[in-house]
Structures are given as structure tokens and as C-alpha cells.
Amino acid sequence: MTTRHAVISGASIAGLSAAFWLRRTGWEVTVLERAPAFRDGGQNVDVRGTAREVLTRMGLFDAVKEQNTTETGTVFVDSSGRVRAELPSAGPDGATAELEVLRGDLARTILRHLPEGVEVLYGDTISRVEDGPDAVTVTTTGRTFHADLLVVAEGVRSTTRDLLFDDVDRRDLGIAMAFGTIPRTASDDSRWRWYTTTGGRQIHLRPDNHGTTRAMLACTGDFAVVDRAGALSRFRDRFADAGWEARRVLDGFDVSDDVYVDQLTQIRMPSWHRGRVCLVGDAAWCVTPMGGGGASLALVSGYVLAASLSGSGSGLTAYEEWMRPLVDDVQNFPGWLVPFAYPRTRLGLRLRHVADKAFTSRLLAPLTARMTQVAASERALPPIAVPQA
Ligand SMILES: Cc1cc2nc3c(=O)[nH]c(=O)nc-3n(C[C@H](O)[C@H](O)[C@H](O)COP(=O)(O)OP(=O)(O)OC[C@H]3O[C@@H](n4cnc5c(N)ncnc54)[C@H](O)[C@@H]3O)c2cc1C
């Protein structure tokens, strides 16, 4: 039997997971990454639900757990840092999950454990794709591949997806986020501290395993059109009078080389495959941090894709059928969630505080805990046929 060849575009969580599992199931695999070298960076993500099982099957559960960010819980704080309420974190999928890890650490762990023979080419992007009955021809800046499958794993703003699919529904959630690394201070503890104030603003501080603090500013508004410097200046204006640790975070971001700004955009598509082209991870269904579980879904998608194409698996349709309910579950949050999470007025903030107390009370905490259980499924993962060595 001839070996099938997959070209994967994008070397982050989804692309590397697909590379891992396609190679494991006997494919020849080439990964193209636009960045000139491995992209480190990115802040706290977690591995939840079915993704824990995928990580276990990769043999990487312990390797990822060793890089835990050391976070022990999630609390809502007021402007003086006093804890107002604590979100439930019991069990593996609590607000602070058992597997909390930095995006860069998770991606690097998969990269280092890729099965032998995966070719990773940095600084290369796709310029042209011709999808034919016998092969998909992928032209990059330097090479041409005649492959059996093209996997697009380029994240939310994927250009190859936009080149090949004309039915991409982009939903701007009206929230901008800036993530960055700042120096740790004595007042930082091991919890995810979450501060909400009027004007639709939130500040988050989280511990990491590198001796620094991971900060996030989030606010309502449209920051999509500005570059990084422009976006940071807009954040400075919006957070000047936000209170709590706003000034420290703004000053830290000004000198950090690791700031990632995102205008939260959900991607919705009627289908994630066409011919020999298939989308995985954020490129297919970006759920945004508002939904949560993006890294977990990306990890799972690589496994489910390879499983659906292995053995007697029924191909890309089966991949899509398995993933769709997991994605729908995260994307379809109620319309009131954004205004509730980002109150504009003092009254809205007061209502939010009352709700926080109620949702974290002993009576409602089990219900609240269920909201963090994303990327979970009662269905067993599809079987995967790994050829014997
Ligand atoms: C540097 C970085 C930092 C991040 N930081 C955070 C964070 O702090 N918080 C958070 O919630 N999420 C963050 N994310 C997003 C998070 O990783 C994803 O939501 C989630 O893990 C799903 O991953 P993905 O592999 O589908 O997409 P992504 O992680 O977005 O990865 C896409 C990959 O494709 C590459 N790429 C893009 N376009 C092309 C192209 N045309 N050709 C070749 N390669 C291409 C990108 O360089 C990247 O490596 C970050 C992503 C990146 C790349």
C-alpha cells in the first residue's frame, strides 16, 4: 500500500496534534508554519474533558502536568484585592482545571514528542491550492506538494481557509483582550484573580511556572482595526481609571515582548471539509476564550481527524460528525452572557456581584461547576488504527 501524504498548515496545538496522530497512523506528514521558528508565547490554556484522554493516549499527560502553571483556584476580587467569591475548582475540569498550562509549553511538548519522520518547515506559507480528484496540489513560497490531504490549522484568521471556503461566518463578540507576561510581585498568589468593573472592563492575574505573572485586560469594544501599539494605547485609555492592578498591568504590557491582542471572533461554518481539504482547531470553529476550551478542542480535533481516516473509519464526514456537538456546545452560549460578564453601569456591576455570590453559593456551585466542563463528551473517542511496527 502506498503511504498517504498530508500537508498541514499551522504548527500550534491543532496542527501539531494532527501531525502527531496522522504520522502515528502511517501518513507521511509535512507541517508548514508561517513563523520563522517555533512560536512560543501565549498565556494560560487548559486541557479539559475529552482532551485529557487524547493527551493520555499521546503519552503526554504527565509531561504536560509537570508544566502546570501552579494555579490552585479562581476567585473574584474587588478593587482592593479582597476575595468576593470563589469559583468551584474541585475535580479535573473546575474553573482552575487539573491541567493548566501555558500555550507555548503545551505546543512545544507536542512538537518535541512528534513521532519520527514528521517534516516541519518554518517560514513557509501556502500561496495556491488546486484540489483535484487524485491529489491536492499545494504551492508554497518555495515548494509544490502533490498530497492526499491538506489540513488547515492556521487559527482564527486563517488565510488558506479564506482562500478556499466562501461560507465563513465571522461573529465579532464585541470584546477585545490583551494577554501578556509581567513581573511577579509579592502580592501575587497562586490563584487566578478576576476583577470586573464598570465600563465593560475586566482585569485578570494568573500565576505561571516561570516566576512571572500572566495578565489579561478584557473590555467591550472594537480593537480589530489597530496594530499592537495602537491597541495597547486604546487599552491604556480604557483602563486608566479601572482601579485594582490596572496601572501595573498597563506598565508591564508596555515593556513586555509577549503581548497577544485579540478581538474575540467566533468562526462558524456549515462544513469543515471540502474535497481533500479539511479544517481543524480555531481555523474551523474558533470558540474564543468567552466560550472556553479552544486548546482542548484543537487537541481533540487532531486525534479525531486521524482516527476517522484510519482503518475502516469513514473519513472526513465522520470527523465532522464527531466534532460538531462538542463545538456547538461551547459556541452556543446565551446572548445575555456578554453584557452580564462585562457590566457597563454601577447597577449592572452590583447585579453581577449579587449573581456571583448566588452562583458560587453551596446550593448553586454544582450547577456553576458544570459550566466549565467544556470539550466533554459521553461518547467514547473513535477508535484509531495504529499500524504495528
Ligand atoms: C502566539 C500565540 C499566542 C496565543 N496566546 C493565547 C492566549 O494568551 N490566550 C488564549 O486564549 N489563546 C491564545 N492563543 C490562541 C490559542 O492557541 C488557540 O485558541 C487554541 O489553542 C487553538 O489553537 P490552533 O492551533 O487552532 O490555533 P493557533 O494557536 O492560533 O495557531 C495557529 C498557527 O498557525 C500559524 N499560521 C497562521 N496563519 C498561517 C499561514 N497562513 N500559514 C502557515 N501558518 C500559519 C500561526 O503562526 C500559529 O502557529 C494564541 C495563539 C498563538 C499562535
Side-chain angles (χ1 to χ4, degrees):
M1 206 173 90
T2 53
T3 304
R4 294 178 293 178
H5 181 202
V7 173
I8 299 172
S9 185
S12 182
I13 315 292
L16 292 172
S17 174
F20 183 101
W21 287 109
L22 286 169
R23 184 70 190 144
R24 265 275 180 91
T25 50
W27 288 68
E28 189 188 327
V29 175
T30 305
V31 182
L32 306 170
E33 165 60 47
R34 182 174 59 186
F38 169 70
R39 275 189 87 176
D40 207 344
Q43 310 300 316
N44 312 50
V45 297
D46 40 39
V47 180
R48 294 173 180 276
T50 310
R52 292 160 51 84
E53 174 62 18
V54 169
L55 206 57
T56 303
R57 293 188 187 193
M58 291 167 118
L60 298 181
F61 190 95
D62 290 339
V64 170
K65 199 168 174 189
E66 271 167 26
Q67 299 176 81
N68 203 290
T69 58
T70 70
E71 189 173 292
T72 57
T74 304
V75 292
F76 296 128
V77 297
D78 66 16
S79 59
S80 61
R82 198 171 53 90
V83 174
R84 307 186 61 92
E86 173 155 15
L87 280 170
S89 285
D93 290 337
T96 290
E98 182 188 4
L99 291 181
E100 291 288 345
V101 63
L102 299 179
R103 189 212 70 94
D105 288 347
L106 178 57
R108 193 184 315 97
T109 303
I110 307 171
L111 179 71
R112 285 194 179 149
H113 292 86
L114 285 178
E116 219 168 283
V118 175
E119 182 183 32
V120 185
L121 302 173
Y122 290 101
D124 211 357
T125 52
I126 294 172
S127 55
R128 197 166 161 192
V129 176
E130 279 168 80
D131 196 5
D134 301 321
V136 54
T137 303
V138 179
T139 307
T140 74
T141 29
R143 289 169 67 170
T144 299
F145 303 92
H146 301 287
D148 299 281
L149 178 70
L150 169 62
V151 181
V152 179
E154 298 174 356
V156 59
R157 290 177 226 295
S158 167
T159 49
T160 307
R161 174 199 63 208
D162 292 351
L163 189 71
L164 299 175
F165 293 80
D166 54 11
D167 45 7
V168 184
D169 175 3
R170 295 171 188 78
R171 296 197 187 173
D172 183 347
L173 298 185
I175 305 287
M177 288 186 176
F179 304 85
T181 309
I182 60 172
R184 190 173 168 81
T185 63
S187 65
D188 292 340
D189 62 22
S190 65
R191 294 169 302 179
W192 173 0
R193 290 177 297 152
W194 180 333
Y195 169 70
T196 303
T197 189
T198 51
R201 295 170 294 179
Q202 295 183 359
I203 303 172
H204 299 247
L205 292 178
R206 305 180 72 171
D208 70 17
N209 49 325
H210 296 273
T212 44
T213 290
R214 305 288 162 153
M216 180 180 86
L217 301 177
C219 63
T220 51
D222 179 2
F223 288 37
V225 287
V226 281
D227 58 8
R228 189 195 118 133
L232 284 183
S233 141
R234 298 262 290 270
F235 274 104
R236 188 165 272 287
D237 291 345
R238 281 293 293 277
F239 282 81
D241 64 347
W244 193 45
E245 303 262 7
R247 191 146 305 173
R248 173 185 162 208
V249 175
L250 290 165
D251 291 347
F253 281 7
D254 275 349
V255 292
S256 170
D257 56 3
D258 180 29
V259 176
Y260 173 81
V261 179
D262 195 16
Q263 179 74 21
L264 301 200
T265 309
Q266 271 191 353
I267 298 295
R268 296 186 183 222
M269 298 183 65
S271 176
W272 298 320
H273 67 92
R274 183 168 303 154
R276 292 173 180 273
V277 182
C278 167
L279 307 173
V280 291
D282 279 9
W285 53 64
C286 182
V287 292
T288 80
M290 197 72 207
S296 296
L297 292 171
L299 204 54
V300 173
S301 63
Y303 173 93
V304 175
L305 174 66
S308 305
L309 296 168
S310 76
S312 55
S314 47
L316 296 177
T317 307
Y319 156 72
E320 177 148 347
E321 278 172 5
W322 207 92
M323 290 303 301
R324 186 68 73 174
L326 284 193
V327 172
D328 285 352
D329 185 44
V330 186
Q331 281 194 331
N332 295 329
F333 54 75
W336 51 262
L337 195 60
V338 171
F340 170 74
Y342 293 87
R344 286 171 188 271
T345 62
R346 277 181 193 283
L347 176 64
L349 184 62
R350 247 181 267 139
L351 288 174
R352 168 74 201 272
H353 288 160
V354 171
D356 288 347
K357 278 259 183 288
F359 284 130
T360 55
S361 66
R362 201 173 289 176
L363 187 68
L364 292 182
L367 190 74
T368 308
R370 253 187 263 152
M371 285 163 65
T372 59
Q373 287 166 10
V374 294
S377 176
E378 302 206 324
R379 295 165 296 149
L381 280 166
I384 196 158
V386 176
Q388 298 305 309

